[in-house]
Amino acid sequence: MGRKRRKLYGMALVLLLAALSGCSGTEKESDETVVLQEETNETEVKQDAAEKEEDRRDDGKEMIVVYVCGQVHKEGVVTLPAGSRIYQAIEMAGGVTEEAQASWLNLAEVLTDGARIYVPGKDEVSQEGTEWMEGSGSAAQGTADGRVNLNRASKEELMTLPGIGEAKAEAILQYRTEHGGFGSIDEIKQISGIKDGVFEKIKDKITV
């Protein structure tokens, strides 16, 4: 009886040691899993930081706003990185129409903020004289120099000027209707909300 009990105790001891050994192995595997997970998380954090830094650099790019009109498919205001050229603005406006005479423009010219790009039609370019240019303009020549004509510009064109939002643009249109137009660029200061500060920003971008 004593021998049989000792044998049972021996078997129980072996089983206990085996169980302890198994737990130890599981714990080691668990520790390795935790370390691996921590390394993975650290890598993901570094990647996220790098992506955010890249996005920050992209967001920090200087942008310009120009108005594209005339013989283009999607006339309107477009935003491009500083240093962009006329052809890129036209592409953002959907490209030129079949009636366009794009060769009249210097498509490689670098754009300036607030410029107005007018793509003329073939019939306009073929006309004698340059009367059609006076109210049209382009980024290169403007009203022949890229400035916005206060007496001819649309609301959207006026809104391309720094500090001129929709309300001020509508006020400009109303003023020129009531007063028969602007006699000089200084007269724009008669518009409510357009004082010396705003005028200094736009005086080189407007004409009458």
Side-chain angles (χ1 to χ4, degrees), residues 14-86:
V14 170
L15 291 174
L16 178 61
L17 290 175
L20 290 175
S21 177
C23 291
S24 177
T26 302
E27 182 178 356
K28 183 176 180 180
E29 290 177 359
S30 178
D31 291 342
E32 290 177 351
T33 302
V34 171
V35 171
L36 181 60
Q37 183 64 38
E38 289 177 349
E39 291 177 350
T40 302
N41 291 340
E42 184 178 354
T43 301
E44 291 176 351
V45 169
K46 289 180 178 178
Q47 289 176 345
D48 290 342
E51 290 175 358
K52 289 180 180 178
E53 177 63 20
E54 184 177 351
D55 291 341
R56 187 191 66 78
R57 288 197 298 269
D58 290 341
D59 293 341
K61 288 181 180 178
E62 182 182 355
M63 306 298 287
I64 60 173
V65 178
V66 300
Y67 179 68
V68 188
C69 54
Q71 295 297 330
V72 292
H73 290 291
K74 295 187 294 184
E75 186 174 286
V77 175
V78 298
T79 302
L80 310 93
S84 297
R85 301 178 185 272
I86 289 180

Side-chain angles (χ1 to χ4, degrees), residues 144-169:
D145 57 7
R147 291 180 294 174
V148 174
N149 191 308
L150 296 178
N151 291 326
R152 295 187 176 92
S154 65
K155 182 176 74 173
E156 290 75 15
E157 292 171 296
L158 291 169
M159 289 173 62
T160 64
L161 295 169
I164 304 298
E166 184 175 3
K168 289 187 178 70

Side-chain angles (χ1 to χ4, degrees), residues 115-164:
R116 179 172 182 261
I117 306 167
Y118 180 81
V119 181
K122 296 174 182 177
D123 56 338
E124 294 175 302
V125 175
S126 64
Q127 290 178 5
E128 293 184 359
T130 58
E131 182 179 355
W132 66 271
M133 294 185 199
E134 294 177 2
S136 307
S138 69
Q141 271 111 77
T143 36
D145 57 7
R147 291 180 294 174
V148 174
N149 191 308
L150 296 178
N151 291 326
R152 295 187 176 92
S154 65
K155 182 176 74 173
E156 290 75 15
E157 292 171 296
L158 291 169
M159 289 173 62
T160 64
L161 295 169
I164 304 298

Side-chain angles (χ1 to χ4, degrees), residues 171-182 187 190-191:
I172 292 172
L173 296 178
Q174 182 178 353
Y175 181 91
R176 78 187 189 195
T177 298
E178 295 175 351
H179 296 80
F182 292 85
E187 197 174 337
Q190 298 298 320
I191 305 298

